[in-house]
């Protein structure tokens, strides 16, 4: 049979592919490291940007305030000499003015550096090293009367931020150029320190991330390896093994559960195949043993032609039974492997059923069982041969298991796109615990063959009924009460779109 010969369920003996778990672990770690590096670098860059912006704002605000303070301390006298007005005895004030004068320049409207009353130039040494503003620059600032910012480098390469603006003497309202500067080296040092701290710390963090990623990936993969090892122990000969659940109710437990369910299905299929082989051998052995016995008896004891004839007739009966079994098995196998295509036509079901009922009238009369039918008009798109085979199987069972004086009723209903074929009898019935198995191949209710019309069946008739109904997209239902009778109900869609080829699992799923 198909299940037996196809070898579809081969598990044992296939070498397990070599698992490169390190590659998975490495990939997980690398991915983790990449993501954390990008995040750390991104966050570091963002905070460096924020720090630079804050420092910049701070120095601009500070310089503006210093410029305003310098403006406050400066007076231009009538003789156009600048004077720094502050309390020279006050150390605080003196310190502030000294600080202001650390980087500064005061010039007239022509760009000439001014001289104080004592003849000193109003420009600091540091400012000189930054480069004195040209008369054109001074003029441009005075003309625009807008303060301007500029970054300049000293001779030593230290950058300075310079704030240049215009002040006026109070009397003549003449414009003067005042520039104040501040070193940017502190800001650059802070930014540099921040950058270097990042450069030093981020690789350490990434390294730590890699190590913990490697460790975590290892921990996550260990149960997968355990599951794989447990799965490898399961083979065709010990399909009863199951992978133990970890009790964590996580994705891995779900995988284990799914895997175990799959093994259970495989085990069931294996058992079915084993059972089937046993059944087939048993079924074939019985007539073969009978033939052998009869031939031996004839050979050693038969004297007359009549005795030989009788032995040969008996053998022929058993040979007939053997070929019946083989034919039926072949047909079922073809049906289940999808080789038996349905030849569907629009069939007048009532007429087809009436024909089958007619064919059974004579054997029913002989068995003194009443056969009645109650058929309504109904046309369905079905395979005539298979539908007739299905009803014949049900009728021959009904005939076999209904005692004389009983009644068998064949019905046909047609409603909402569904045809329902009913075969009811008032026979011996089927015990409830046997009902789920009667569609299995070779299944016969023990002791039932000794029923009213004893004729040993093959136990394959209902398997066909189930397959035919399923192949038409229909269902089979059976209700039975021991001693009272049995009722089979088959529903078929009038326009079934189900493909003729169906799988063995499809047949197995049809039950009483
Ligand atoms: P068989 O060739 O033995 O009839 P089936 O597959 O047709 O094989 O039926 C399986 C078993 O189901 C039968 O052996 C019989 O025990 C039981 N059975 C089927 N139909 C009936 C029925 N109408 N009344 C009582 N028992 C039935």
């Amino acid at each position: 049979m198909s299940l037996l010969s196809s070898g579809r369920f081969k598990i044992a003996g296939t070498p397990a592919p070599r698992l490169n778990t390190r590659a998975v672990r490495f990939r997980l770690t690398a991915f983790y490291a990449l993501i954390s590096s990008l995040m750390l670098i991104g966050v570091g860059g963002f905070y460096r940007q924020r720090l630079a912006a804050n420092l910049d704002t701070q120095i601009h605000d500070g310089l503006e305030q210093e410029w305003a303070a310098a403006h406050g301390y400066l007076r231009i006298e009538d003789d156009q000499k600048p004077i720094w007005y502050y309390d020279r005895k006050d150390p605080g004030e003196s310190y502030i003015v000294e600080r202001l004068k650390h980087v500064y320049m005061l010039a007239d409207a022509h760009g000439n550096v001014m001289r104080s009353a004592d003849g000193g130039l109003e420009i600091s040494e540091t400012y000189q090293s930054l480069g004195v503003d040209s008369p054109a620059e001074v003029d441009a600032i005075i003309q625009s009367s807008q303060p301007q910012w500029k970054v300049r480098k000293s001779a030593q390469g230290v950058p300075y931020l310079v704030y240049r603006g215009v002040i006026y003497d109070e009397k003549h309202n003449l414009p003067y150029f005042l520039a104040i500067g501040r070193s940017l080296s502190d800001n650059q040092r802070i930014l540099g320190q921040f950058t270097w701290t990042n450069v030093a710390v981020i690789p350490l963090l990434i390294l730590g991330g890699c190590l913990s990623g490697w460790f975590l990936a290892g921990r996550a993969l260990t149960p997968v390896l355990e599951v794989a090892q447990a799965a490898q122990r399961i083979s065709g000969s010990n399909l009863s093994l199951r992978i133990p659940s970890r009790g964590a109710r996580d994705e891995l437990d779900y995988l284990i559960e799914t895997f175990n369910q799959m093994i259970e299905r495989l085990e069931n299929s294996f058992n079915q195949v084993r059972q089937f082989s046993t059944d087939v051998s048993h079924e074939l052995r019985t007539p073969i043993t009978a033939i052998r016995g009869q031939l031996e008896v004839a050979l050693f004891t038969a004297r007359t032609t009549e005795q030989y004839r009788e032995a040969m007739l008996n053998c022929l009966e058993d040979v007939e039974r053997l070929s019946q079994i083989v034919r039926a098995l072949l047909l079922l196998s073809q049906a289940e492997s999808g080789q038996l295509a349905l030849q569907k036509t629009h069939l007048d079901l009532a007429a087809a059923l009436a024909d089958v009922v007619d064919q059974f009238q004579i054997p029913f009369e002989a068995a003194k069982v009443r056969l009645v039918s109650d058929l309504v008009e109904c046309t369905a798109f079905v395979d005539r041969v298979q539908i007739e085979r299905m009803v014949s199987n049900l009728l021959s069972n009904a005939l076999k298991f209904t005692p004389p004086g009983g009644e068998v009723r064949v019905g046909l209903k047609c409603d909402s796109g569904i045809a329902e074929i009913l075969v009811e009898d008032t026979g011996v019935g089927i015990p409830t615990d046997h009902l789920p198995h009667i569609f299995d191949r070779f299944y016969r209710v023990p002791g039932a063959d000794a029923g009213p019309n004893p004729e040993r069946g093959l136990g394959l008739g209902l398997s066909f009924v189930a397959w035919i109904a399923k192949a038409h997209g229909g269902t089979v239902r059976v209700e039975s009460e021991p001693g009272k009778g049995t009722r089979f109900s088959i529903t078929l869609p009038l326009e079934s779109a189900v493909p003729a080829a169906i799988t063995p699992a499809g047949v197995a799923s049809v039950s009483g």
Side-chain angles (χ1 to χ4, degrees):
M1 285 302 281
S2 58
L3 279 179
L4 198 65
S5 57
S6 65
R8 254 175 290 172
F9 300 117
K10 199 173 160 197
I11 292 184
T14 326
R18 235 177 72 77
L19 250 179
N20 191 357
T21 48
R22 279 187 176 259
V24 177
R25 196 174 177 185
F26 178 77
R27 278 209 297 275
L28 280 175
T29 311
F31 182 71
Y32 184 70
L34 183 76
I35 295 292
S36 52
S37 311
L38 288 178
M39 273 169 55
L40 283 171
I41 291 170
V43 169
F46 173 74
Y47 278 107
R48 190 190 180 282
Q49 205 63 26
R50 289 283 306 269
L51 182 66
N54 280 345
L55 290 173
D56 208 44
T57 315
Q58 227 175 31
I59 199 164
H60 277 78
D61 290 351
L63 209 55
E64 255 175 358
Q65 282 167 12
E66 283 182 5
W67 192 90
H71 187 194
Y73 285 119
L74 261 176
R75 294 270 189 289
I76 310 290
E77 295 292 297
D78 283 353
D79 55 357
Q80 298 200 347
K81 296 286 179 212
I83 289 188
W84 291 84
Y85 270 106
Y86 63 95
D87 184 357
R88 279 157 218 276
K89 287 182 196 137
D90 182 343
E93 237 177 289
S94 302
Y95 173 76
I96 292 172
V97 174
E98 282 315 306
R99 223 176 93 95
L100 291 177
K101 288 168 82 177
H102 181 58
V103 186
Y104 95 108
M105 168 181 160
L106 180 65
D108 62 16
H110 306 293
N112 300 317
V113 177
M114 296 186 71
R115 282 184 184 278
S116 58
D118 58 7
L121 279 172
E122 290 293 333
I123 183 166
S124 68
E125 249 178 67
T126 315
Y127 200 94
Q128 259 173 332
S129 83
L130 298 179
V132 180
D133 299 71
S134 67
E137 278 182 280
V138 171
D139 187 50
I141 290 170
I142 288 178
Q143 290 306 320
S144 74
S145 67
Q146 287 296 315
Q148 282 184 12
W149 298 95
K150 191 158 192 179
V151 176
R152 286 184 177 162
K153 273 197 177 161
S154 70
Q156 291 77 37
V158 181
Y160 281 82
L161 179 68
V162 181
Y163 184 70
R164 301 172 303 172
V166 187
I167 60 172
Y168 294 87
D169 76 348
E170 276 165 18
K171 243 189 190 160
H172 309 96
N173 205 26
L174 283 173
Y176 293 90
F177 170 86
L178 174 64
I180 293 273
R182 233 199 213 193
S183 165
L184 286 171
S185 59
D186 278 353
N187 285 8
Q188 287 196 338
R189 191 173 41 76
I190 294 170
L191 272 182
Q193 274 175 356
F194 183 87
T195 309
W196 280 109
T197 314
N198 272 3
V199 167
V201 168
I202 287 179
L204 285 179
L205 289 177
I206 292 174
L207 188 72
C210 285
L211 288 176
S212 48
W214 181 258
F215 173 72
L216 286 177
R219 272 195 63 158
L221 286 173
T222 308
V224 177
L225 287 180
E226 284 168 8
V227 170
Q229 279 162 3
Q232 270 181 18
R233 284 196 292 274
I234 299 172
S235 68
S237 52
N238 62 356
L239 271 174
S240 55
L241 275 186
R242 295 286 177 273
I243 303 171
S245 165
R246 295 152 58 250
R249 301 177 69 79
D250 56 4
E251 289 87 346
L252 213 68
D253 266 354
Y254 179 61
L255 177 76
I256 292 173
E257 198 182 309
T258 313
F259 192 82
N260 281 341
Q261 282 168 2
M262 187 189 80
I263 294 293
E264 195 169 322
R265 286 197 295 276
L266 278 180
E267 190 183 13
N268 287 344
S269 296
F270 261 61
N271 288 342
Q272 270 179 20
V273 172
R274 278 196 200 112
Q275 185 60 42
F276 181 73
S277 320
T278 316
D279 290 346
V280 171
S281 334
H282 182 77
E283 288 303 316
L284 296 180
R285 207 181 52 200
T286 316
I288 288 173
T289 315
I291 292 169
R292 190 197 164 113
Q294 280 153 10
L295 286 177
E296 279 175 355
V297 170
L299 205 61
F300 297 121
T301 60
R303 296 279 174 266
T304 62
T305 321
E306 202 49 42
Q307 283 168 331
Y308 277 114
R309 235 181 100 79
E310 199 188 327
M312 284 171 80
L313 274 174
N314 288 341
C315 284
L316 213 59
E317 254 175 41
D318 284 320
V319 169
E320 175 56 26
R321 186 174 169 78
L322 266 181
S323 58
Q324 255 182 29
I325 295 176
V326 172
R327 258 203 316 271
L329 283 179
L330 210 66
L331 210 61
L332 250 183
S333 144
Q334 282 175 345
E336 289 175 354
S337 62
Q339 291 167 23
L340 198 75
L342 294 184
Q343 310 290 328
K344 288 191 191 170
T345 51
H346 283 101
L347 178 70
D348 179 352
L349 271 180
L353 295 196
D355 278 355
V356 182
V357 169
D358 281 350
Q359 285 164 25
F360 273 84
Q361 282 300 353
I362 294 172
F364 268 76
E365 271 168 28
K368 298 194 172 54
V369 178
R370 229 161 73 85
L371 175 60
V372 288
S373 58
D374 177 11
L375 311 171
V376 296
E377 273 297 306
C378 190
T379 305
F381 189 56
V382 290
D383 182 326
R384 180 186 187 118
V385 175
Q386 302 304 341
I387 295 294
E388 285 181 354
R389 173 177 283 154
M390 182 171 77
V391 179
S392 296
N393 283 357
L394 291 174
L395 277 180
S396 46
N397 277 349
L399 173 63
K400 236 188 297 176
F401 299 104
T402 307
E407 184 180 283
V408 174
R409 184 173 288 272
V410 179
L412 175 63
K413 293 180 191 164
C414 206
D415 196 17
S416 357
I418 303 266
E420 186 180 12
I421 300 171
L422 293 160
V423 177
E424 297 173 70
D425 62 54
T426 55
V428 296
I430 304 166
T432 320
D433 47 336
H434 292 283
L435 268 183
H437 307 289
I438 56 170
F439 295 95
D440 296 348
R441 279 169 294 195
F442 295 118
Y443 194 84
R444 284 168 304 217
V445 177
D449 287 338
N453 304 302
E455 185 199 315
R456 239 171 84 78
L458 300 179
L460 293 172
L462 288 181
S463 303
F464 270 111
V465 171
W467 175 78
I468 294 166
K470 187 81 186 172
H472 283 86
T475 57
V476 187
R477 272 181 53 214
V478 56
E479 292 158 31
S480 188
E481 207 177 317
K484 288 219 164 142
T486 308
R487 173 191 154 104
F488 284 92
S489 145
I490 290 128
T491 54
L492 298 173
L494 295 184
E495 293 289 336
S496 90
V498 172
I502 59 162
T503 60
V507 170
S509 72
V510 177
S511 66

